[in-house]
Amino acid sequence: MLSEGKGIIIVISGPSGVGKGTVVNMLINRMRDAVLSVSCTTRAPREGEKDGKSYFFISRNTFEKMIAEGGFLEYSNHFENYYGTPRFFVEQKIAEGKAVVLEIEVDGARRVREQFPENSLLLMIAPPSREELVRRLRLRGTEDEELIARRLERADYEMSRSSFYDYTIINDDLEETVENILKIVENRRRGIK
Ligand code: 5GP
């Protein structure tokens, strides 16, 4: 018996370049009842990013208004921009017994854990090595060296604060990573009352 129907928040974190986005897409495709939480951000869209799909791209003013109204489950300010998870969508999906996937960073993950201690699963995706992460970031070719350096600095920060995560999964082989996560999710959901 699959443990579907038990609302759970699956938080996926990890440094830029680790392959989080691909992992998240594969999870959404393979879990019948999984839905992706689309975050709000004040950063500008990158090429190919669609409003309402990658993020809701909103102004600083609107973001701050939403903070004041308690509209975010969690939010954080990094890379000089706000990023936040709209509260309503997540709470609604949890109540419906769905698996809600959040791709957010460590500070936000901590706040999710505080609010949903029973129904959250925190997963850190790590690169096989720091050298490999540098290689993958350069391969993307979308960022200059200064930004790569800042992303690496942030990666070190995130990895150093990941001890409260439930699991750290090394993303060496994508297929294996996703299979591992599916097993972890299923086990965790069985344990939810
Ligand atoms: P990017 O600008 O590359 O899309 O995202 C930068 C970082 O922001 C990533 O680590 C991503 O996981 C994180 N992030 C995206 N959305 C949210 C959110 O809603 N809340 C928090 N706390 N972090 C987010």
Side-chain angles (χ1 to χ4, degrees), residues 20 39 43 46 55 74 76 78-79 83-85 103-105 108 151:
K20 268 178 304 181
S39 296
R43 86 149 160 74
R46 296 196 191 109
Y55 284 103
E74 62 74 36
S76 117
H78 54 276
F79 297 133
Y83 294 80
T85 306
E103 188 196 322
I104 62 175
E105 49 69 68
R151 289 201 179 268

Side-chain angles (χ1 to χ4, degrees), residues 38-191:
V38 178
S39 296
C40 293
T41 184
T42 58
R43 86 149 160 74
R46 296 196 191 109
E47 216 178 298
E49 286 185 332
K50 290 208 173 69
D51 189 38
K53 209 162 166 31
S54 318
Y55 284 103
F56 294 106
F57 296 99
I58 63 177
S59 69
R60 198 159 262 275
N61 236 335
T62 308
F63 201 105
E64 285 171 353
K65 221 177 264 167
M66 273 182 77
I67 296 176
E69 289 164 357
F72 291 113
L73 194 69
E74 62 74 36
Y75 70 92
S76 117
N77 197 331
H78 54 276
F79 297 133
E80 282 131 45
N81 280 295
Y82 281 123
Y83 294 80
T85 306
R87 177 184 296 281
F88 180 74
F89 179 83
V90 176
E91 290 186 346
Q92 189 188 37
K93 295 300 169 192
I94 292 294
E96 288 172 8
K98 298 259 163 49
V100 192
V101 180
L102 268 56
E103 188 196 322
I104 62 175
E105 49 69 68
V106 280
D107 300 333
R110 190 186 290 279
R111 280 188 288 276
V112 169
R113 163 82 0 123
E114 283 162 9
Q115 294 177 70
F116 294 89
E118 298 296 320
N119 297 57
S120 60
L121 178 65
L122 272 45
L123 307 176
M124 174 62 73
I125 314 287
S129 67
R130 200 169 186 278
E131 290 71 39
E132 176 60 17
L133 188 66
V134 176
R135 197 186 71 80
R136 290 185 196 174
L137 277 173
R138 292 224 168 93
L139 213 68
R140 286 213 299 210
T142 52
E143 278 144 22
D144 59 30
E145 284 297 319
E146 194 196 318
L147 197 55
I148 290 177
R150 280 173 59 205
R151 289 201 179 268
L152 279 174
E153 206 177 290
R154 180 77 198 177
D156 291 338
Y157 169 82
E158 299 229 343
M159 297 310 293
S160 73
R161 274 166 184 70
S162 62
S163 58
F164 65 95
Y165 276 66
D166 297 303
Y167 295 90
T168 295
I169 297 141
I170 299 181
N171 185 23
D172 201 353
D173 178 273
L174 199 54
E175 191 58 39
E176 229 172 82
T177 299
V178 173
E179 282 303 316
N180 264 337
I181 295 178
L182 288 173
K183 271 187 220 139
I184 291 170
V185 170
E186 174 57 18
N187 279 335
R188 180 72 183 75
R189 269 180 129 177
R190 276 213 191 98

